[in-house]
Amino acid sequence: MKDHEITLNLTSAVNSLSDVNKLINELESIEEFFLKMKAKSSLSQVDVPKSSIALEELAKLNSLNLMKSEDREKLNLFLHFIRTKSPTIHLSFGSSPDDKFLTKVTDWFRAQVNPYLLISIGLQPTIGAGFKIRTTNKYYDFSLRKYLTANKQTLVETLGTIVKQ
Amino acid sequence: MNIISIIIILVVVVAILAYFIYRINFSKTKVKKINRRTDPYGQSVEEVVNSVFDANFREELKNRGKLHFEKILNDNAMFLKQDLELTSSEIHDYLKQEINKNLESEFKNYKDTIEDAKKLAIDSIKKTQTVLEDQRKSLTAEIVKQFDAEKKVLINNFQDNMAEIINHYLLKAVGGHINLNDQLEFIIADLEANKAVIVEDINEGS
């Protein structure tokens, strides 16, 4: 699959490389199920793999039917493309973000930067508040620590004014 | 009158005395020779002469001469004394003047030398004072500069440490209690503010 052939979209639930890997594994399980199904005489003799909500949402968003081999193939190629070609950024927070927060951040990046962007989340308690971004080439610090350090002179001046009073 | 004149006078006086002594002795010898050579007339004349110029007369003459000589000697001695006194006084004055002159000259030289030495010493002291003053000013300026620099470093260190302590306290006290969802608005605002740079960076990276 080439760049200009990409017609599918990612859901907000799929925001990291591990999510992509999980979906690929799920798809492989489903594929394996259908291969087994061809070898067996009846469906009752094999366990139908349960697809995750993320995979179902992804298929639904892209109007794909996981029961159809060509759709699975299409989705599998798309996920492999995402795994190898998508840009990844690393975000660090002072505490673990919940899904709601992560969805909003992912949506912003997909809407403003790149629709296939993947996010890697890290935890740095020393940040306190705010966040840090690390891309392939650069590093951005939007943490409260950095903000306080950058405004250290203001803090000193303010304290000096208070002491003089 | 100087010493040479006095000496000349003394020589003249001695010469006169020697002349008189010689004449008297010469006269006695001559009379004896004449008495031996002359005839009876001569001997009678001699006897007359001897009777006229007998011992008393000669003694008187001798005494008169002696008195005259003593008078001359006394007069000359007085003059000599006066001259000597005058000469001595003049010599004394002359020596006094010369000594005074030499002393004044020496004192003047000594005074000039002392003045020069004093001037040199004062100049040297002034130069030393100037150098010391310059060094003191330079040292003071350097100390003030070093003190200011040290003070600035200490203040900066104190401010840095104080700010670091406050930051650490704030992060410790507040950081863990701020929910990420509450921060979302600010996070999105930061991302929006730096969107262009992030987009450019990611597109270049990919």
Side-chain angles (χ1 to χ4, degrees):
Chain A
M1 183 182 283
K2 296 178 181 177
D3 291 1
H4 65 273
E5 293 174 335
I6 297 173
T7 55
L8 304 181
N9 294 312
L10 285 172
T11 60
S12 300
V14 183
N15 51 37
S16 69
L17 190 59
S18 62
D19 293 336
V20 175
N21 287 331
K22 281 179 188 173
L23 293 179
I24 289 173
N25 288 335
E26 274 190 58
L27 274 178
E28 285 175 353
S29 299
I30 293 170
E31 196 62 38
E32 190 178 347
F33 162 75
F34 283 108
L35 284 173
K36 285 179 181 177
M37 191 182 69
K38 284 181 181 175
K40 301 292 180 182
S41 57
S42 68
L43 284 175
S44 59
Q45 291 176 317
V46 289
D47 297 327
V48 179
K50 190 179 181 181
S51 55
S52 65
I53 297 172
L55 184 60
E56 288 178 2
E57 284 183 351
L58 183 62
K60 185 179 178 183
L61 177 70
N62 294 290
S63 304
L64 296 173
N65 185 356
L66 295 177
M67 297 296 117
K68 292 181 178 177
S69 177
E70 58 271 27
D71 285 355
R72 289 198 305 275
E73 178 63 22
K74 196 175 179 181
L75 187 57
N76 190 35
L77 286 174
F78 173 67
L79 289 174
H80 276 86
F81 171 80
I82 294 296
R83 184 168 69 176
T84 54
K85 300 286 185 180
S86 289
T88 303
I89 62 165
H90 184 86
L91 291 175
S92 296
F93 299 99
S95 56
S96 296
D98 56 17
D99 291 340
K100 181 184 170 188
F101 174 85
L102 210 52
T103 300
K104 288 181 179 175
V105 171
T106 305
D107 287 344
W108 184 89
F109 275 106
R110 297 258 170 88
Q112 303 294 334
V113 180
N114 189 306
Y116 305 111
L117 189 93
L118 296 178
I119 296 173
S120 168
I121 300 297
L123 187 62
Q124 286 188 35
T126 55
I127 290 175
F131 65 105
K132 293 179 181 177
I133 299 178
R134 188 178 73 241
T135 64
T136 310
N137 304 315
K138 290 185 180 177
Y139 173 80
Y140 305 93
D141 189 346
F142 300 111
S143 67
L144 179 61
R145 173 181 289 279
K146 180 72 182 293
Y147 178 80
L148 290 174
T149 305
N151 290 279
K152 184 176 66 180
Q153 193 59 33
T154 307
L155 174 65
V156 171
E157 288 171 4
T158 307
L159 287 172
T161 307
I162 293 169
V163 169
K164 284 176 184 174
Q165 288 173 352
Chain B
M1 189 182 288
N2 54 22
I3 294 170
I4 297 170
S5 302
I6 294 164
I7 293 168
I8 291 169
I9 290 167
L10 286 173
V11 170
V12 170
V13 170
V14 170
I16 291 168
L17 286 173
Y19 175 73
F20 277 114
I21 293 166
Y22 174 75
R23 288 288 295 174
I24 291 167
N25 291 332
F26 181 73
S27 298
K28 285 180 181 177
T29 309
K30 198 174 181 181
V31 169
K32 284 178 183 177
K33 283 179 180 177
I34 291 170
N35 290 337
R36 266 185 244 131
R37 291 176 190 172
T38 55
D39 54 342
Y41 291 107
Q43 288 176 354
S44 63
V45 171
E46 187 177 358
E47 287 171 0
V48 171
V49 170
N50 285 336
S51 65
V52 172
F53 295 100
D54 58 358
N56 292 328
F57 182 75
R58 286 199 298 272
E59 188 64 28
E60 189 181 348
L61 274 178
K62 190 177 176 182
N63 288 333
R64 282 191 181 184
K66 189 177 177 183
L67 289 171
H68 185 69
F69 181 68
E70 284 178 354
K71 187 186 174 191
I72 289 169
L73 270 180
N74 287 331
D75 290 344
N76 283 324
M78 190 182 68
F79 287 132
L80 182 61
K81 187 181 176 187
Q82 287 176 352
D83 285 343
L84 279 173
E85 287 177 351
L86 186 61
T87 304
S88 172
S89 175
E90 287 179 349
I91 288 170
H92 180 73
D93 291 342
Y94 174 75
L95 288 175
K96 192 176 176 181
Q97 285 177 1
E98 285 295 317
I99 290 169
N100 282 338
K101 200 163 75 178
N102 286 333
L103 281 175
E104 281 178 2
S105 174
E106 289 298 321
F107 275 126
K108 187 173 180 300
N109 288 336
Y110 180 68
K111 191 179 175 183
D112 290 344
T113 305
I114 288 177
E115 284 294 326
D116 289 343
K118 187 180 172 184
K119 194 177 176 184
L120 281 173
I122 290 171
D123 289 345
S124 177
I125 290 169
K126 281 181 180 175
K127 282 181 184 174
T128 306
Q129 281 180 338
T130 306
V131 171
L132 283 174
E133 185 64 19
D134 290 345
Q135 286 182 346
R136 189 188 65 79
K137 285 179 181 174
S138 173
L139 194 62
T140 304
E142 186 63 24
I143 288 171
V144 169
K145 187 180 170 186
Q146 291 287 338
F147 182 76
D148 288 344
E150 188 66 22
K151 185 179 170 185
K152 196 174 179 182
V153 168
L154 286 173
I155 289 173
N156 284 339
N157 286 341
F158 173 75
Q159 288 177 348
D160 287 346
N161 290 334
M162 183 181 67
E164 192 63 31
I165 288 167
I166 292 171
N167 290 349
H168 184 76
Y169 167 75
L170 283 174
L171 291 171
K172 195 86 175 173
V174 180
H177 302 287
I178 301 176
N179 191 292
L180 275 177
N181 288 306
D182 296 335
Q183 300 174 38
L184 186 63
E185 184 183 347
F186 301 103
I187 288 171
I188 296 297
D190 282 336
L191 290 172
E192 287 286 351
N194 296 276
K195 186 173 74 176
V197 183
I198 294 170
V199 169
E200 184 183 0
D201 181 33
I202 287 174
N203 289 335
E204 283 179 2
S206 64

